Amino acid sequence: MSRPDFTRYLPILDWGRRYDRTALTGDLIAAVIVTIMLIPQSLAYALLAGLPPEAGLYASIAPILLYAVFGTSRALAVGPVAVVSLMTAAAVGQVAQQGTAGYAVAALTLAVLSGGILLLLGVLRMGFIANFLSHPVISGFITASGILIAVSQVKHILGVEASGHTLVEIGRSLLAGLPQTDMTTLAIGVGATGFLFWVRKGMKPALIRLGLGARPTDIATKAGPVLAVIVTTLLVWGLGLSDQGVAIVGAVPQSLPPLTMPAFSPDLVGALLVPALLISVIGFVESISVAQTLAAKKRQRIDPNQELIGLGAANIGAGFTGGYPVTGGFARSVVNFDAGAETPAAGAFTALGLAIAALALTPLIFFLPKATLAATIIVAVLSLVDFGVLKRAWGYSKADFGAVAATIVLTLGFGVEIGVSAGVIMSVLLHLWKTSRPHVAEVGLVPGTQHFRNILRHRVETDPAVLTIRIDESLYFANARFLEDYILNRVAEDRALRHVVLMCSAVNAIDLSALESLEALNERLGDLDIRLHLSEVKGPVTDRLTRTHFLDALTGEVFLSQYDAWAALTGGSAGPAPVPVAGR
């Protein structure tokens, strides 16, 4: 009996046995850079989720360690991200009041539910679900979410109270609080935001002009948010600005992630189950997209099913260690990759750095202004906003444009849950709509060849007694009747027709509904004294058809190639004899 391959479920056993000093060096450098970047991000995203800032640190320690054991990406950096933080706030805000113990417990429960869903999907090998969300719809959702997140943080820049989960609600709340704007907070917030934008666009060229090397320049650029944190914290502390109305982070527990216990009451689970499912799907799609992009650059392989397990373990870990739902982040994963991360151990070293920060550095952020964290979020999420997708979709596909536009409008107008739900539904409906009206072409023989092309696009040979239809889609319940009606309408007025050939080179499957339509079509054509033939039927499709009575009742033949059908039915060039029940 062969020994079980544990590396399939524990990728750490695969890369761990080949770990060497070169990988250690690259991982340590990457961990230092990502840790510097992640400290202010973790604090900021926790506030975005409506949780205490330490929850962001806690959500970045155990989840990273668990992903390093179970994940397959060498560069993916797991932790709090903006979109999932916003979705967490929207979901948990419906069941508990922000700032209460119940709110924190609900966030823990949401993380465990999300992790459980991801684990279940991984065990069932359902990594293909990422394909059910179209890229345009995801782009629209992320663009709208970026706008919502940025607008929701304006209250911290102004130093006013505001609330809401939609653009209208937040905007109305901000306008109502505008007269109470704290000018000192505004100065800090605007200054930090402007500095962080400059860090992203202008700091690197400036440092290079000063003669700084590439690696130090990269590190300095990634450390820009930390510099903003240090400077504004010192300002607030040195000038006593917290006594003048500037909101600060305040006391943050100086400890490692605690062992926490989610609540699993039926009412709470029922209220959070759908949001947990949406967070799982969106988080997985975002994570797998980043992981596959980075893996392709080094010709590495990502296993989507194992990624579900890795992310599931990370979220369950977050739920039991004081965190909230997490996933792979785009920005820090790219930073991790560019900094030289060779293995998931880079994440483990990052977790170690964050643990040290949680133990030793939290007293230093007591006077950190919330306006600085808001600036960090605003600058990070505005890079996600891409209205160019609307222009690209309009020029390429009006249906995709409609889906993107609707996703953006619904997310902004009704909140992230409605937006992402609509995005999922529209992705599926868009697929059904496109495949329910497949491209069907009448084809003829290209002279001097054995190739068949669309008669409307090419000069081809046809025969008045033979109609060849090429179907460019698999046949299933949504399009079976469309094909049947198309052919019957086509043959209705054509008295010369004696043969109809369905060219099935693009048909990968025929479901039961489509089979029944083909049976009805075969019978109707038979009543008109027209024989129905099939050509270029693929092997798996043929295998399923042979288990039915359809081929026995077929009035015509099944040809290996379309040219065989042409030769046999038109008396043209001699070719191989038709092969009944043949496929390829």
Side-chain angles (χ1 to χ4, degrees):
M1 181 180 295
S2 62
R3 298 173 63 182
D5 183 14
F6 290 108
T7 60
R8 176 178 175 182
Y9 301 103
L10 293 171
I12 190 174
L13 299 178
D14 178 34
W15 60 263
R17 69 166 62 103
R18 297 192 300 272
Y19 202 69
D20 55 22
R21 183 172 296 179
T22 301
L24 175 63
T25 302
D27 288 342
L28 284 173
I29 293 173
V32 170
I33 295 174
V34 174
T35 300
I36 291 172
M37 175 185 184
L38 197 51
I39 290 173
Q41 269 196 0
S42 298
L43 300 171
Y45 290 153
L47 293 178
L48 174 60
L51 293 163
E54 64 269 17
L57 289 175
Y58 298 160
S60 303
I61 297 176
I64 297 178
L65 293 172
L66 288 166
Y67 181 82
V69 174
F70 295 101
T72 60
S73 172
R74 304 293 180 93
L76 191 70
V78 172
V81 299
V83 173
V84 170
S85 297
L86 179 65
M87 295 177 71
T88 298
V92 178
Q94 296 177 2
V95 298
Q97 182 67 36
Q98 187 173 324
T100 64
Y103 190 96
V105 171
L108 300 176
T109 306
L110 185 64
V112 173
L113 288 176
S114 179
I117 291 170
L118 289 165
L119 272 181
L120 179 63
L121 293 175
V123 170
L124 297 177
R125 304 191 67 77
M126 296 183 65
F128 62 85
I129 62 168
N131 301 328
F132 282 91
L133 277 174
S134 68
H135 178 71
V137 166
I138 285 292
S139 297
F141 172 71
I142 290 178
T143 292
S145 298
I147 295 171
L148 276 181
I149 292 168
V151 173
S152 72
Q153 296 306 295
V154 172
K155 64 182 180 182
H156 296 301
I157 302 293
L158 299 175
V160 301
E161 293 294 328
S163 61
H165 296 297
T166 69
L167 189 62
V168 173
E169 291 173 353
I170 298 171
R172 185 183 297 123
S173 184
L174 286 173
L175 286 174
L178 201 58
Q180 286 78 46
T181 298
D182 184 271
M183 300 311 294
T184 306
T185 300
L186 179 63
I188 293 173
V190 171
T193 304
F195 172 74
L196 291 174
F197 272 119
W198 176 77
V199 165
R200 282 185 169 245
K201 300 293 184 181
M203 187 177 188
K204 189 170 185 177
L207 292 177
I208 291 176
R209 284 195 298 269
L210 292 174
L212 201 63
R215 179 54 65 89
T217 298
D218 282 337
I219 294 175
T221 302
K222 302 302 184 297
V226 176
L227 183 58
V229 166
I230 293 172
V231 171
T232 55
T233 300
L234 290 175
L235 277 175
V236 172
W237 170 70
L239 300 177
L241 298 181
S242 60
D243 297 329
Q244 301 176 31
V246 175
I248 58 174
V249 168
V252 175
Q254 192 174 354
S255 68
L256 291 174
L259 183 62
T260 52
M261 185 58 63
F264 297 106
S265 67
D267 290 343
L268 182 61
V269 171
L272 295 178
L273 193 57
V274 172
L277 177 61
L278 296 176
I279 287 173
S280 300
V281 173
I282 289 297
F284 175 62
V285 170
E286 180 177 351
S287 179
I288 197 69
S289 300
V290 178
Q292 289 177 335
T293 299
L294 297 179
K297 294 182 178 182
K298 288 191 174 182
R299 298 190 177 184
Q300 295 168 349
R301 189 180 69 86
I302 297 297
D303 182 352
N305 297 308
Q306 187 60 32
E307 283 297 289
L308 284 166
I309 293 174
L311 291 173
N315 276 279
I316 290 175
F320 285 100
T321 57
Y324 66 98
V326 297
T327 192
F330 176 78
R332 59 177 170 268
S333 294
V334 172
V335 170
N336 197 35
F337 179 87
D338 290 342
E342 294 289 337
T343 72
F349 295 140
T350 299
L352 179 61
L354 291 170
I356 294 172
L359 277 173
L361 301 181
T362 50
L364 302 179
I365 62 173
F366 183 91
F367 289 101
L368 171 60
K370 290 184 178 181
T372 301
L373 294 180
T376 302
I377 294 175
I378 290 171
V379 174
V381 300
L382 286 182
S383 65
L384 303 176
V385 176
D386 176 23
F387 284 113
V389 68
L390 289 169
K391 181 179 179 181
R392 295 191 297 273
W394 178 263
Y396 188 75
S397 168
K398 300 300 185 291
D400 283 332
F401 171 82
V404 174
T407 302
I408 292 175
V409 170
L410 289 172
T411 302
L412 293 177
F414 297 95
V416 290
E417 285 194 14
I418 297 295
V420 71
S421 300
V424 173
I425 293 170
M426 282 188 289
S427 292
V428 175
L429 290 180
L430 194 59
H431 170 74
L432 291 175
W433 182 79
K434 289 178 178 177
T435 56
S436 69
R437 301 181 63 83
H439 181 257
V440 176
E442 186 174 336
V443 299
L445 178 66
V446 178
T449 73
Q450 295 186 7
H451 300 294
F452 290 79
R453 293 292 184 269
N454 192 329
I455 64 172
L456 300 178
R457 293 177 177 268
H458 303 272
R459 298 184 64 178
V460 294
E461 297 178 5
T462 59
D463 187 294
V466 179
L467 171 66
T468 297
I469 297 294
R470 189 188 71 219
I471 314 145
D472 294 335
E473 185 64 65
S474 292
L475 299 178
Y476 72 120
F477 65 91
N479 62 24
R481 189 60 182 269
F482 172 82
L483 177 65
E484 183 182 348
D485 292 342
Y486 178 93
I487 293 176
L488 291 176
N489 289 335
R490 171 64 179 80
V491 305
E493 303 298 328
D494 199 335
R495 305 290 183 180
L497 271 181
R498 291 294 175 264
H499 303 279
V500 172
V501 184
L502 295 184
M503 185 176 173
C504 301
S505 54
V507 177
N508 296 317
I510 298 176
D511 75 355
L512 188 59
S513 297
L515 176 64
E516 292 176 353
S517 286
L518 290 177
E519 290 172 341
L521 181 63
N522 181 56
E523 185 176 343
R524 295 281 297 276
L525 291 177
D527 293 340
L528 297 174
D529 198 25
I530 298 174
R531 298 176 66 197
L532 176 65
H533 308 269
L534 306 180
S535 74
E536 304 194 8
V537 184
K538 295 183 176 179
V541 177
T542 300
D543 292 341
R544 299 192 70 172
L545 291 179
T546 55
R547 297 198 293 268
T548 72
H549 298 293
F550 174 69
L551 295 178
D552 296 330
L554 188 65
T555 56
E557 304 287 348
V558 179
F559 294 93
L560 182 64
S561 73
Q562 179 56 34
Y563 186 76
D564 292 347
W566 172 266
L569 300 177
T570 65
S573 303
V579 182
V581 195
R584 70 180 181 94

